[in-house]
Amino acid sequence: MAKILTHPAAAAALLAALAVSVPTTASAAPAPVAAATCYGGAVTVNYGDAAEFGPYTTTSRCADINLRMTGGDAEFVWACVKFVRVGACNYWTKVGRSWKTIATDVKDGSAFTVPLGVDLEGSSARVQIAF
C-alpha cells in the first residue's frame, strides 16, 4: 500500500529529491531552415510588362528550367529558352497552369532569357519561372 505524505515539509523534501534525480529535458533546438526547392525559388513576371524576361542564371536548385501560368486571361503561353551564349530559342513549348519543363539538363551558371507569346493578341499572362 502506498504512503500518502500529509506533512508539508516531507512532501517538499520528496519533490526536491525528485527534481534532482529526474533528468530535465532540453528545449528543442530550432529546426534548420529548409533549402529552397526548385519551385520555391521561382520568379514571377507579367507578360505585357515585357515579351522576353531575364537574363537569369541557372543554379543548382533546379536541373531544368520550368514555367507555369499563375494568372491572366490567356489560356496558355508559348515559351522558349534563349541561352545567351547561343542567342536563339531552343524550341517553343505550349505552357498552361501546371509546371512544364522548357529546357532540360541545363548546366549550372548558364545565362538565359525567356521569350513568351500568348494565345491571343492582347491577352495577359502572369507566369513563374523556376531555374
Side-chain angles (χ1 to χ4, degrees), residues 57-60 62-63 83 85 104-111:
T57 303
T58 57
T59 65
S60 59
C62 300
F83 292 101
R85 64 180 165 69
T104 58
D105 298 324
V106 181
K107 182 179 174 183
D108 292 351
S110 299

Side-chain angles (χ1 to χ4, degrees), residues 25-103:
T25 57
S27 62
V33 176
T37 64
C38 178
Y39 297 146
V43 296
T44 302
V45 296
N46 291 305
Y47 178 83
D49 294 344
E52 186 167 337
F53 300 94
Y56 304 110
T57 303
T58 57
T59 65
S60 59
R61 189 174 50 238
C62 300
D64 304 322
I65 300 172
N66 306 281
L67 189 131
R68 74 172 175 173
M69 286 182 53
T70 60
D73 58 9
E75 290 189 35
F76 60 87
V77 295
W78 289 101
C80 78
V81 173
K82 187 189 292 185
F83 292 101
V84 171
R85 64 180 165 69
V86 176
C89 281
N90 57 349
Y91 50 86
W92 288 91
T93 304
K94 184 179 177 180
V95 180
R97 297 194 184 265
S98 298
W99 285 108
K100 184 91 172 204
T101 301
I102 59 174

